[in-house]
Amino acid sequence: MTARYAVFGHPVVHSLSPRIHAAFGSQLGIAMEYAAIDATPEDFATALAAFADAGGLGANVTLPHKERALALCASASERARRAGAANTLTRRDGAWHGENTDGLGLVHDLTERRRIDLRARRVLMLGAGGAARGTAPALLDAGIDELWIVNRTPERADALADALGEPGRVHTRYWDDLRNLGAFDMVINATSAGRGGSIDLPFTLATKRTLAVDLSYGEAAVPFLAWAEAAGCEQRIDGIGMLVEQAAESFAIWHGRRPDTDPVFESLSARAGVLHTAD
Ligand code: ATR
C-alpha cells in the first residue's frame, strides 16, 4: 500500500504543499501519496481521525487548524508547545505526534538560502497570531538580539511575549507606537492583513538596509512588500522560501531524508513572479 500523507486546511485548494511534497518524493525516489483535504473547523477532528483510520501516516496542517491540531496530539515537540500550534503531525503508536516546522523553515530560508546573519539583529514582528507564534521561538533561538512584537490587538502581543519567556529580549508595543520605534534591521509581516485588507505602516520603521520579510506569498504578500519597496528596503522576501523549507523539514521527519529545496524553490518563485506581473 502506498504511504499516505495529506495537508489539511480550509480552504486548501490553493495549497502548494501537494506539489512540493510530490517534487521532493520524485527527487529522492520515495513513493507516496500526498492529498489536500479540505475540512471546516467543525469537521477537522473527524477528518483527521478518518485519515488515520485509512492508514494516513503524516499530515501537514495549515490555516485555520494549527492550534486545534496541537490539541489533538498525544505528544508534541517543545517547539510546537512553545508555538501553541502544530503544522506537522506524525502517526506514532496509534496516536498523533505534533511538531512545528514553520520557524525552522523561516530561519533556514534566511540563513542558508539568503546567507543572512540573524545574530545581533533588531527585529520587528508585526502580528501575534499563528504565523508569529510559529516563527518567533526559532528567531530567538537563531540569536536575534531584540524582538519587538506589535499587534493590532495588544493583548495577543503580550500573550505571545509571555509565552516566549524572554523579557530581556522580547518587547511589546501598541500599533500606534510604531512611528516612535525607529528603524529595524528586519521587519517581519506575520499579519494576515494582506489577505484582503491593507496595512498601514510608517516609513520610519525601515532604512534601505532593513530586510523586509512577509510570511505570506503571492497576492497576500503584495501590500507589505509594496510598502517595503516604497520605504526603500533593498532586500524584500516573501514566504515562498519558508514554505518550501518547512515542507522539507516535515518531509525529513516523515521520510528520514531532507530533500534539496533549491529546484522546488526556483520553480515556485518563477511561478509567483508570473502571477505578480499578471495582475
Ligand atoms: P495567522 O495564523 O495567519 O497568523 P491569525 O492567527 O488569525 O492568522 O492571526 C492573524 C494576525 O493578523 C493577527 O495578529 C491579527 O491581528 P489581531 O490579533 O489584532 O486580530 C493580524 N491582522 C489581521 N488583519 C490585520 C490588519 N488589517 N491590520 C493589522 N493586523 C491585522
Side-chain angles (χ1 to χ4, degrees), residues 63 67 127-132 151-153 156 175 190-193 195 198:
L63 297 177
E67 281 128 59
N151 193 50
R152 186 177 58 181
T153 309
R156 288 183 92 190
W175 200 276
T191 75
S192 55
R195 287 182 231 136
S198 61

Side-chain angles (χ1 to χ4, degrees), residues 11-265:
V12 81
V13 65
H14 298 296
S15 170
L16 295 172
S17 293
R19 260 183 71 171
I20 296 172
H21 281 266
F24 290 164
S26 54
Q27 182 194 111
L28 293 174
I30 293 172
M32 50 143 190
E33 182 188 297
Y34 189 108
I37 299 177
D38 194 304
T40 63
E42 298 73 45
D43 294 340
F44 173 60
T46 317
L48 187 65
F51 177 67
D53 289 345
L57 297 178
N60 283 129
V61 181
T62 185
L63 297 177
H65 303 313
K66 291 185 190 183
E67 281 128 59
R68 182 88 179 99
L70 180 67
L72 294 170
C73 287
S75 61
S77 68
E78 200 237 333
R79 275 237 159 84
R81 278 186 269 114
R82 256 167 105 196
N87 75 335
T88 305
L89 307 184
T90 308
R91 209 70 191 150
R92 272 193 198 169
D93 303 326
W96 291 112
H97 174 74
E99 300 186 53
N100 195 316
T101 64
D102 282 338
L104 266 190
L106 174 64
V107 168
H108 213 280
D109 182 49
L110 296 177
T111 59
E112 304 289 324
R113 175 169 296 111
R114 330 272 181 177
R115 302 276 163 214
I116 291 162
D117 187 351
L118 291 176
R119 287 169 301 171
R121 292 267 180 157
R122 183 170 187 256
V123 178
L124 173 64
M125 176 76 81
L126 298 166
R133 282 207 307 272
T135 52
L139 290 168
L140 290 167
D141 290 349
I144 61 165
D145 197 30
E146 295 175 15
L147 182 65
W148 294 74
I149 305 170
V150 175
N151 193 50
R152 186 177 58 181
T153 309
E155 294 77 17
R156 288 183 92 190
D158 290 336
L160 172 55
D162 286 348
L164 291 169
E166 295 207 37
R169 282 203 289 167
V170 178
H171 316 280
T172 59
R173 288 292 182 275
Y174 294 115
W175 200 276
D176 285 346
D177 294 331
L178 281 173
R179 56 196 68 253
N180 306 319
L181 296 181
F184 288 84
D185 299 311
M186 180 154 90
V187 179
I188 302 177
N189 180 31
T191 75
S192 55
R195 287 182 231 136
S198 61
I199 189 152
D200 177 25
L201 298 169
F203 288 135
T204 47
L205 294 173
T207 70
K208 67 178 190 164
R209 281 183 304 282
T210 301
L211 170 66
V213 181
D214 199 312
L215 301 185
S216 315
Y217 56 87
E219 298 298 315
V222 170
F224 174 73
L225 294 180
W227 168 84
E229 187 172 13
C233 304
E234 284 172 355
Q235 248 189 317
R236 303 180 300 276
I237 293 174
D238 73 5
I240 283 281
M242 167 174 150
L243 178 78
V244 175
E245 297 303 330
Q246 63 79 29
E249 296 295 332
S250 299
F251 192 94
I253 289 168
W254 294 332
H255 307 291
R257 287 163 73 194
R258 199 179 198 283
D260 175 7
T261 51
D262 286 348
V264 180
F265 171 75

